[in-house]
Structure formats: structure tokens, C-alpha cells
Amino acid sequence: MIRRIIRIDEQKCNGCGACAAACHEGAIEMVNGKAKLTREDYCDGLGDCLPACPVDAIRFEMREAPAYDEAAVKRAQAAKASEQSCSCPGSRSVTLQVQGECEARSETAVASQLSHWPVQIKLSPVVADKFDGAEVLVAADCTAYAYGDFHSRLMRGRLTLVGCPKLDGVDYAEKLAAIFAQNDVRKVTVARMSVPCCGGLEHAVRRAIEASGKQLPLEVVTITADGQIRI
């Protein structure tokens, strides 16, 4: 049927996610750092997402599209509410209070230096206040297991993002470039394993910095399989 529905200009989209949050029907999702209309049958054509977009990347158009399926939307909303009630911390954006040394001694042997959720590169928002003025640690998954002093030596004072290009099967360069370009990041540190395949993460960060158009200081820390650190 021909009806009014939205169109998202991916070239204009800055990946802020405001439209996805404003779409109560769940028709819009963030895919590889860009907003996409993933369910045309969830779009009611009312346009709550339009005023939420800061770069005017969304507009109405009349075109062929499936009819709005209100029943399906309600089922999806109920399922989402159920998932959120028991979702893992990695799926929600949360700022944490980093423990002080004295507080850590009374509760745990070692103070955690994790300051936020999510930590996965794939789940991280592109634009967030936490990035402004931050030093960012981009770490390969295995480094935290291989290096015993990971929290105090590498995570302390840094905002941590983790991933593994080999396991995730994605190129992080585009997402990281958007983060570096659209936030006031001060410095980037890469923590990688010494194995050759882990070089993909380092190369992605280097390409991301170049693509961002900024001259960001970069430090690369390499962890060996036996837990030694090389800078």
C-alpha cells in the first residue's frame, strides 16, 4: 500500500541514537553506528522521531510500504519490557563510581577501575558525555585475562572499550572514527595481544584516528601470552 512513512538519510545521520529512543514502536534501530528503519510495519507515520533528530536526517515520504501493524508493535514492546527487566549490564548505558583504595580494602582485595557500561565497542553509543575530555582505552578481549594488573595499570583513569575483530567479524574503524570525531577525546591507548590476528584491532584504531581528522595521541600496549607487558 502507498502510505506516509519516514526515510532516514544515512549520510546526514550522526549516530546519536535520539530517533531510536524517541520511536516508541521500535521501528528504528542503530546499526553500525547509523539509524535505520528496520521495521516498516512498526512505523506509524506520526513522526515522533523527526523533532528528536539534531541533524534533520529524517523526513516523511509517500511510498509503497507494509501497513502499520499495531498488534505486532504491542507484542514487541511487551517482549522488550520483559528483556529489560532481566537484561545484562553490558546492554545498558550506566556510569559507575570507581572505588577508592580504602573502600576497596574493606570490600574486595582489588579496586575495580570500571567507570561505565556498556564496554563493548559494538554496544557503545557514538556520542556521549563520558567521552568528553576522556582518555580512551581500546582493548582486545583477551588482554584483561592475560595481564594481571589490567585494572590498575591500564584501566585506571581511562574510559574502556573492548572488542575482538576476529570473533565479532566486524571492522571497528568506522564506529571508532565516529566516536573520535564527535567527542572531545584527549588520547587513545590500544591494549592488544602479541598474536598477529590481534593487529586488526590496532590497525582499526589507527585508521579511525586518521578518518576522524584529529591528531590524537596514540599509545599501543602489547600483552604477551604469558602475561608480560610491552609498550
Side-chain angles (χ1 to χ4, degrees):
M1 63 182 298
I2 302 296
R3 70 180 184 95
R4 189 169 79 158
I5 195 168
I6 65 163
R7 178 176 294 277
I8 302 173
D9 187 336
E10 291 188 18
Q11 297 299 316
K12 289 184 178 181
C13 176
N14 67 0
C16 70
C19 60
C23 180
H24 304 298
E25 291 72 30
I28 301 173
E29 296 182 49
M30 302 306 296
V31 180
N32 294 325
K34 296 286 187 177
K36 289 184 180 294
L37 177 61
T38 57
R39 291 296 300 260
E40 292 187 344
D41 57 333
Y42 284 14
C43 179
D44 59 9
L46 298 180
D48 287 345
C49 54
L50 268 72
C53 181
V55 293
D56 295 324
I58 306 175
R59 62 181 177 83
F60 281 126
E61 64 179 5
M62 296 295 295
R63 62 179 174 84
E64 183 72 29
Y68 171 58
D69 191 339
E70 184 177 6
V73 168
K74 289 183 176 179
R75 289 194 298 269
Q77 289 172 333
K80 183 177 180 180
S82 177
E83 289 174 3
Q84 288 178 339
S85 67
C86 58
S87 61
C88 75
S91 67
R92 303 191 304 273
S93 182
V94 179
T95 299
L96 306 178
Q97 173 112 25
V98 176
Q99 290 181 335
E101 292 298 330
C102 293
E103 183 181 0
R105 290 193 192 103
S106 65
E107 297 182 0
T108 60
V110 179
S112 171
Q113 298 301 312
L114 183 63
S115 62
H116 63 97
W117 287 104
V119 294
Q120 287 287 342
I121 298 171
K122 290 173 64 176
L123 298 179
S124 176
V126 171
V127 179
D129 291 341
K130 64 186 178 184
F131 287 121
D132 288 334
E135 292 190 21
V136 174
L137 171 67
V138 182
D141 289 348
C142 296
T143 55
Y145 298 96
Y147 185 51
D149 204 21
F150 187 82
H151 274 250
S152 61
R153 172 63 180 82
L154 295 176
M155 287 177 61
R156 186 192 298 272
R158 296 185 175 99
L159 192 152
T160 304
L161 296 175
V162 302
C164 176
K166 185 174 182 179
L167 295 180
D168 287 343
V170 299
D171 183 356
Y172 296 124
E174 182 178 355
K175 178 75 172 285
L176 292 172
I179 291 173
F180 299 157
Q182 298 181 49
N183 300 276
D184 184 24
V185 174
R186 291 194 294 117
K187 180 182 177 180
V188 181
T189 298
V190 174
R192 54 161 292 185
M193 297 299 294
S194 57
V195 294
C197 62
C198 210
L201 185 66
E202 177 183 344
H203 296 322
V205 172
R206 291 187 182 278
R207 287 186 285 116
I209 292 175
E210 182 179 0
S212 73
K214 295 183 177 180
Q215 300 294 322
L216 293 176
L218 173 64
E219 179 182 9
V220 178
V221 177
T222 302
I223 310 297
T224 63
D226 60 353
Q228 302 300 308
I229 187 170
R230 297 202 305 258
I231 299 177

